[in-house]
Amino acid sequence: MSYVSLTPTRGEVPRDTLVRWLNEYLNVGAFKDPSLNGLQIEGTGTVRRVAVAVDSSLKTIQHAADSGADLLITHHGLFWGDPLALSGPHRERARTALMADLNLYVSHIPLDAHPVVGNNAMIAQALTLQNTEPFGEWAGGKIGVAGELPFEQSLQDFADRVQKLTGEICLVHGGGRSPTVRRLGVLSGSGAGSIAEAAAMGLDTLLTGEPEHKHFHDAFEYGVNVIYAGHYETEVFGVRALAARLEDEFGLAWQFLHHPTGL
């Protein structure tokens, strides 16, 4: 007598079950976001191996397919609100995933903001921030983290510490009224627009990803130190933490696909 078990084997999970879990865990419906969060490309119905990456580039998608992944989770996806024809490079990205029967799941703002596995939460944890509170306004909510270092550091020493954490050479704008760091705001990616908010909260330093010319003078006029540690390098933390959470929850094997942009 034979039977089919209705309970997935640990180490494999139905795609739809996993997508529902991800949507709920990441609270994808709670954020206004230009990204199409959730399952962007449907592939195989069973997931055994997961790959995670920051970007959904052709190189990343091909790497995931070549590695035997059933699901690729990225922070930056293929669809950003406006209709985009499946032609040129965009077609090749989608075609490569479809030919490999590869699922593509995307979490943008929800993965920045998540209090446990989010980019900002993980950076704050790595820097041992204390007395943390929400920071970094986005569409009426807060997606970053502010807090205090256990001890005051010079701006240069702190920048060196961030560089060791991310592996990226930091750009430092010493606009603060003090050359030291104690009260810090963390906002991964494109967070330069939050300099004024950092000043209003009494933070001496903002740690973010990439600079924008229109915000260059803000650091010096608002009196806030800003450390730019790279858009890419400040956003590797969330996808890796999420993958580790999936391993704990479902026993899924995973790997991080590192394709840095230098930006």
Side-chain angles (χ1 to χ4, degrees), residues 30-260:
F31 301 92
K32 292 182 178 179
D33 194 342
S35 171
L36 176 61
N37 293 307
L39 188 67
Q40 289 196 352
I41 295 180
E42 183 178 292
T44 181
T46 301
V47 175
R48 298 180 179 85
R49 293 186 58 83
V50 176
V52 297
V54 175
D55 302 312
S56 298
S57 65
L58 178 59
K59 183 181 292 186
T60 300
I61 293 169
Q62 187 65 64
H63 191 172
D66 291 344
S67 72
D70 305 300
L71 170 68
L72 172 62
I73 300 175
T74 68
H75 184 52
H76 302 134
L78 297 180
F79 301 98
W80 293 92
D82 296 327
L84 184 60
L86 287 173
S87 61
H90 191 57
R91 172 186 180 273
E92 285 306 302
R93 295 169 189 144
R95 176 181 176 275
T96 300
L98 290 168
M99 291 293 289
D101 211 11
L102 175 68
N103 293 286
L104 173 64
Y105 186 95
V106 174
S107 182
H108 184 232
I109 296 300
L111 193 55
D112 286 321
H114 198 276
V116 179
V117 299
N119 287 311
N120 298 303
M122 296 303 297
I123 294 171
Q125 178 181 315
L127 295 173
T128 61
L129 287 193
Q130 302 171 345
N131 303 318
T132 57
E133 58 182 310
F135 165 75
E137 185 166 342
W138 173 273
K142 305 278 188 178
I143 63 173
V145 177
E148 297 179 355
L149 294 173
F151 52 89
E152 192 171 71
Q153 289 185 271
S154 72
L155 181 58
Q156 186 58 61
D157 285 348
F158 182 71
D160 290 343
R161 183 180 172 194
V162 172
Q163 182 172 326
K164 289 178 182 177
L165 175 65
T166 64
E168 183 77 13
I169 296 175
C170 298
L171 173 64
V172 180
H173 288 177
R177 295 182 175 88
S178 171
T180 59
V181 180
R182 183 65 188 269
R183 301 201 68 233
L184 175 71
V186 179
L187 190 57
S188 64
S190 298
S194 292
I195 293 172
E197 182 183 349
M201 290 181 63
L203 306 180
D204 52 66
T205 304
L206 170 65
L207 170 60
T208 188
E210 63 181 300
E212 292 183 81
H213 184 270
K214 64 182 178 181
H215 296 300
F216 172 84
H217 298 287
D218 290 350
F220 304 95
E221 294 176 4
Y222 282 101
V224 177
N225 300 311
V226 185
I227 297 175
Y228 296 104
H231 193 133
Y232 176 91
E233 295 295 352
T234 58
E235 295 192 329
V236 302
F237 297 90
V239 289
R240 294 191 307 216
L242 180 59
R245 181 74 180 86
L246 291 178
E247 182 180 20
D248 290 342
E249 185 73 18
F250 299 103
L252 292 171
W254 66 277
Q255 66 181 121
F256 172 63
L257 309 181
H258 186 41
H259 291 282

